[in-house]
Amino acid sequence: MVTARAFRWPSALRGKKPCIWYGGDYNPDQWPEDVWDEDVRLMLKAGVNLVSVGIFSWAKIEPQEGLYDFAWLDRIIDKLGKAGIAVDLASATASPPMWLTQAHPEVLWRDERGDVCWPGARQHWRPTSSVFREYALSLCRAMADHYRDNPYVVAWHVGNEYGCHNRFDYSDDAMHGFQRWCKKRYATIDAVNEAWGTSFWSQTMTEFDQIMPPRYIGEGNFMNPGKLLDFKRFSSDALKDFFKAERDALADITPDKPLTTNFMVAASNAPVDYDDWKGEVDFVSNDHYFTPGEQHLDELAYSASLVDGLAGKNPWFLMEHSTGAVNWRPINYRKEPGQLIRDSLVHVAMGADAICYFQWRQSRAGAEKFHSAMLPHAGEDSQIFRDVCELGKDLKTLSKHGILDTHLRQSPIAVVFDYKSQWATEQSATPTQEVRHWTESLAWFRALADLGITADVVPMGGDWDSYRAVVLPSVYVLDAANAKRVRDYVVAGGRLFATSYTAIADEHDQVGLGGYPAAIADVVGVRSEEFVPLGNDYEAGMDHVDLDNGAVAHDLVDAISSVAPGVQVLASYRADAWSGLNGMPAITLNQFGEGQAAYLGCLLGERGLALSLPAVLDAMGLNYSKADDRNEVLRVERTDAKQENGFVFYFNRTRGLAMVQLEGRALIASHAQVNDSEHTAALEPNGVIVVAI
């Protein structure tokens, strides 16, 4: 069993008090040195106390093989440190320099057709290349040796966003790595054949060297699902092994400096298995970029909650987010007034003790020149910079009042997120391409928020069975060990919500037999014989099904053929007789051991869930807000270890004015008006109030 690294947080500079870290990526090598003093002046004005340096600076640090130039980096680190600004120093290995790839084109990754990813962007390296690893580790050791005693470097920033661009590599290096990975995992080729079901389509292998990556097989064809799922596992592990090699090269020389790498946790993003990676860092860090539109706040809170779940309620570091527009969407919308401060405080509310941006000064050239920054093209006299300064003051206020002594208070309900289930639902040979694990997880988080419950989002490997109630939202992959956890949890008195498309397959993507959801059929007390996908892609098709509680199912419903004795049917379908669904159970509740298990045999979306859940919550004895409509305010609480002191954050979820009864003394009010005499506040759109309790 792998032991997780002990939690270690970057220490404050000598003579400084610990506080919320605040700053962003800083790329001084993009600017002439006469700009650096101006940068430091404005950083101090904004309240910046930490910057990440050198992330994409390999070519500047090592302009020729074996020739290192640290002089410029020394000057800027010294300038920052003497001003009281700490440095999170990168290993600088995220993108290799041109001299390396020109001399060793074999380090470049290949796509599924065998085409080379040529230099010209970033992350154009393959994690299984021994040649690239040798060069990268040489740089890591040189960096660590040079900065081992530097008092201004408080942490190592290892790599950058592993798998953002090089998640999958189909080269021969990757093929050999995949073969070794399969041999380690399965020991025998017969076990691989059994796991992947290779008797189908005559795919049986007799030697490990017959295993290939899932390379291009022609348009409209279908890759073996078991192989696909394992290749995603392998790809995550290959990147993790490369990270660990870099981490260990740095740690061997600088054991006193904590190390991290920036995850990319977002509702729709699962490039690697962060549930597996979380124990490999000294502290969890994340990069998150907002989703434009009406999901903006809820998706941000959902993702931040998942990061807190990965961090195990230890403090975590928001390494990147944006002050405004990004540069990589077809349309790059700006942030609305108030959202710069509001978004940052959502991360703080969810457990972040560090708030950083990409980047400090907005670039003039390059692919990210239109990506917003703390200091925009418009300069110091700009609303973005004024908001950056205001946020800096807000974070100092929270630090002064003791927020570092608190953590996100545990919710009564956990929504489980599972990376393997997300990967499996991404495959093309499924009942419907309209269903993904992440969309159902986010819908549940939002629906519970509509009912006044701010759920915790917890990875499958986390302690979700310590919660009063647990949601398994289309957790497609459920292996025997986790099925036992579910069973033991409910037997002991837990309350379970399971949905359609849950417990369909095991860890090899092999379907359980006897009806869905086979692995926990006895727990939920229902049996479904087939899926009923819903759509409108043919004439007279059925794109929705009504429930008798007023909700509407979409995308997928279960044909529940039987329920166990004693199961309560809380809602049924209303449909035309020809559909075979009319009167069929849609939502059920089963007593199992000392606990209860609700089964929602359809996908209802946020509004359908918010409409349907009160009856289930009432039956389970769980409290919720009985508001007539969508709850206007997202309430999040951070508390100390004794749950005696803390902070309550109130965020307006609407486009209108939201009123809130305050539970303590207001410390921060952004786009909000506080009435101290009545202990109430009016939150404008994108408004936030933070009170001390």
Side-chain angles (χ1 to χ4, degrees), residues 117-133:
C117 173
W118 294 104
R122 58 180 178 174
Q123 281 191 345
H124 40 282
W125 51 271
R126 61 179 74 160
T128 53
S129 169
S130 59
V131 173
F132 183 69
R133 179 176 292 207

Side-chain angles (χ1 to χ4, degrees), residues 367 445 620:
F445 180 86
M620 288 183 168

Side-chain angles (χ1 to χ4, degrees), residues 10-19 21 44 48-51 77-88 150-155 257:
S11 299
L13 293 180
R14 186 176 302 169
K16 298 286 185 179
K17 292 182 179 180
C19 57
W21 290 116
L44 294 176
V48 167
N49 55 30
L50 178 142
V51 290
I77 290 175
D78 189 64
K79 192 180 292 288
L80 292 164
K82 287 179 177 176
I85 301 169
V87 172
D88 167 47
N150 192 296
Y152 304 135
V153 176
V154 298
K257 296 186 189 297

